[in-house]
Amino acid sequence: MKKRNYPEALKVINQGLKIAEDPSNEKNTWNLKKGKTPKMYRLIVIGILYSALESLYLYAGNYEKQIAIASETITRLESAGDTFNLAGLYPDIGDSYLRRNKFDSALFYQQKSLYYYQKLTFDDRKFEGATYSSIGAIYEQMGNIDLARENYQKAIQVSEQHDNPRHTGNACLQLAKLYQSLKEADSVFLYAKKAIEAFTRGGYEKEKA
């Protein structure tokens, strides 16, 4: 993905789906978590592979294909009872609509992400802050500065609670850029400093550049 080798990525995902969609491969499943059956595990893997496929089309900019695959992914994840990956899927859909300036749809799907995050245990909500950052970005593009700031601050709070320095840093950076657009220099400096501190704490040197 980093090298934008989409054809190779597509090939690998489709190979994985061919294996996972064959029920006979359930017999090759071992060391499952308590309460998980081979069939349940296979359905979860299928859902994850569809999520990867959906993300591939998002990064490639093929939004129509991405939304079509996302719809199928939702069905697969729901059938597997995979709340965790549903919470992670909906932000991708929201980002797709945001890139096309469809703000109402973008907000709807980010809110769906929060709905599923609320069903998870605390330890499984490590990436929830990114959804609040995405909501802040939507409101910022809509020109609603108060709600943009509120959601960026919420993203920082949630990410810090879950000890996620990358998402903390990203949210601080978005807030710094918001204050820069408002020409509030003291706040720009404050949140830029917080972003650098978060990235340093997490060892994310590239984000500091």
Side-chain angles (χ1 to χ4, degrees):
M1 289 294 291
K2 290 183 178 180
K3 294 182 179 179
R4 299 183 180 276
N5 193 344
Y6 299 121
E8 182 63 23
L10 182 61
K11 178 182 176 181
V12 171
I13 293 169
N14 283 330
Q15 287 174 340
L17 282 171
K18 185 177 180 180
I19 295 170
E21 289 180 332
D22 183 353
S24 69
N25 286 315
E26 291 176 8
K27 66 180 183 295
N28 299 318
T29 306
W30 303 284
N31 299 321
L32 294 174
K33 291 183 179 179
K34 186 177 180 180
K36 297 291 185 182
T37 66
K39 181 178 180 180
M40 290 168 63
Y41 180 77
R42 184 174 64 84
L43 291 175
I44 289 171
V45 170
I46 291 172
I48 291 171
L49 287 168
Y50 268 94
S51 293
L53 187 60
E54 171 271 331
S55 293
L56 181 66
Y57 285 115
L58 172 63
Y59 288 120
N62 189 339
Y63 302 127
E64 289 187 7
K65 185 69 173 177
Q66 181 229 348
I67 294 300
I69 295 296
S71 178
E72 178 66 19
T73 306
I74 291 169
T75 299
R76 299 286 184 157
L77 293 175
E78 287 179 342
S79 70
D82 190 349
T83 304
F84 177 81
N85 282 299
L86 280 166
L89 169 68
Y90 281 108
D92 272 3
I93 303 174
D95 287 346
S96 174
Y97 282 110
L98 177 60
R99 293 181 188 189
R100 291 175 285 168
N101 296 320
K102 297 183 178 182
F103 302 125
D104 289 342
S105 295
L107 276 173
F108 173 80
Y109 286 106
Q110 298 295 352
Q111 293 291 347
K112 289 280 284 187
S113 172
L114 293 181
Y115 168 79
Y116 281 103
Y117 269 120
Q118 289 167 7
K119 293 177 174 290
L120 298 173
T121 64
F122 180 85
D123 289 343
D124 285 338
R125 297 171 69 169
K126 190 174 181 68
F127 307 112
E128 184 177 10
T131 299
Y132 282 106
S133 287
S134 294
I135 292 172
I138 295 167
Y139 280 122
E140 184 175 355
Q141 288 199 33
M142 293 174 69
N144 192 327
I145 301 303
D146 289 340
L147 283 177
R149 179 168 44 225
E150 178 183 317
N151 279 278
Y152 289 146
Q153 289 171 339
K154 181 69 173 179
I156 295 168
Q157 175 191 349
V158 170
S159 296
E160 287 180 338
Q161 288 174 347
H162 291 281
D163 191 25
N164 191 325
R166 169 171 275 171
H167 287 170
T168 299
N170 286 338
C172 287
L173 195 57
Q174 286 175 287
L175 196 49
K177 290 178 179 178
L178 175 65
Y179 282 122
Q180 185 176 34
S181 71
L182 299 174
K183 302 186 185 306
E184 297 184 19
D186 288 345
S187 294
V188 173
F189 177 78
L190 172 65
Y191 283 99
K193 183 172 180 289
K194 286 179 177 289
I196 292 173
E197 290 172 349
F199 291 141
T200 300
R201 187 171 70 252
Y204 302 113
E205 295 301 317
K206 290 184 178 179
E207 281 82 350
K208 292 164 59 179

